[in-house]
Amino acid sequence: MKSIIYYFSATGNSLFISRKIAENIENSQILSMVSEMRKDNISPDAEKIGFVFPLYFSGIPLVVENFIRKINIADIGYIFAVVTAGIPVTGAALSIVDKLLQNKNKRLNYGSYVKMVDNYLPIYDIPDQKEQIKINQKALLKVEIISKNINDKINKKTLEITPLLAIQYKPWKKKKKEFDSVFFIDSKCNGCGICKKVCPTSNIKLLDKKPQWFGNCEFCLACIHHCPQKSIQLDKKSVYKRRYIHPEIKLSDIIEKI
């Protein structure tokens, strides 16, 4: 019984969770949504499929929405979703996924959240390393429960207060072309081009060895968190904030799946 886990990950949280779930599910593999979207047809040869991705503005990343709209799931028997989030109770992601699946005459069988280190710099500060370790250790315990539920084909979704939470998601989507207007670089930029390599939408180009953004941004903040010089900023406060990449995910793991 084959399972495929499709993931979207900017700083490694969702990739890490995908790997851990795959380790606990026999005959499973993980695939990048970004890479798979390049195919003309996405028709998984599996009995179970899952989507693992971060929470965005109480909803789902636009690349995840587009992926679910494109994938052929007519022959899939069991579908699950796992959402990584700094504050899981603020999500309506599972309900959004379920609605997208209903448009394909399917339903989300199982859905859960995993608390991870929150990397949303516009609002939050990245916790220190000690707190990061605590969060990631608890996440592993949650993954064991999630994996068992998926193996047992449990039909259950975490309860969400959908109408209230979805209010901010819809207007957020409409601002996609404005997402990257807040980014700027400071004098530390050395033109290494890593920001371009980690961008899941190929939205960054180097002009005179400096990054420029072109209005097709997911606001995943991969460019900010992976910048080795910490030179990409989004406001004056971000200069003083920590950056975050999951400690068990390498830069090459992100780049090779873009």
Side-chain angles (χ1 to χ4, degrees), residues 13 31 35 72-73 112 117 129 148 159 171 179 198 216 242:
N13 281 341
L31 295 172
S35 295
N72 178 7
I73 56 175
S112 185
V117 175
Q129 190 172 21
K148 184 179 186 305
L159 182 64
F179 286 170
V198 299
N216 186 33
R242 297 185 182 93

Side-chain angles (χ1 to χ4, degrees), residues 178-222:
E178 304 172 17
F179 286 170
D180 58 21
S181 63
V182 299
F183 299 147
F184 63 95
I185 58 172
D186 61 26
S187 60
K188 298 190 294 296
C189 178
N190 62 5
C192 69
I194 288 177
C195 54
K196 176 183 176 180
K197 294 177 181 178
V198 299
C199 179
T201 58
S202 301
N203 183 48
I204 299 175
K205 302 183 186 302
L206 295 185
L207 302 180
D208 296 326
K209 294 185 177 181
K210 302 299 179 183
Q212 298 288 323
W213 290 262
F214 287 86
N216 186 33
C217 180
E218 280 285 328
F219 213 60
C220 68
L221 305 185

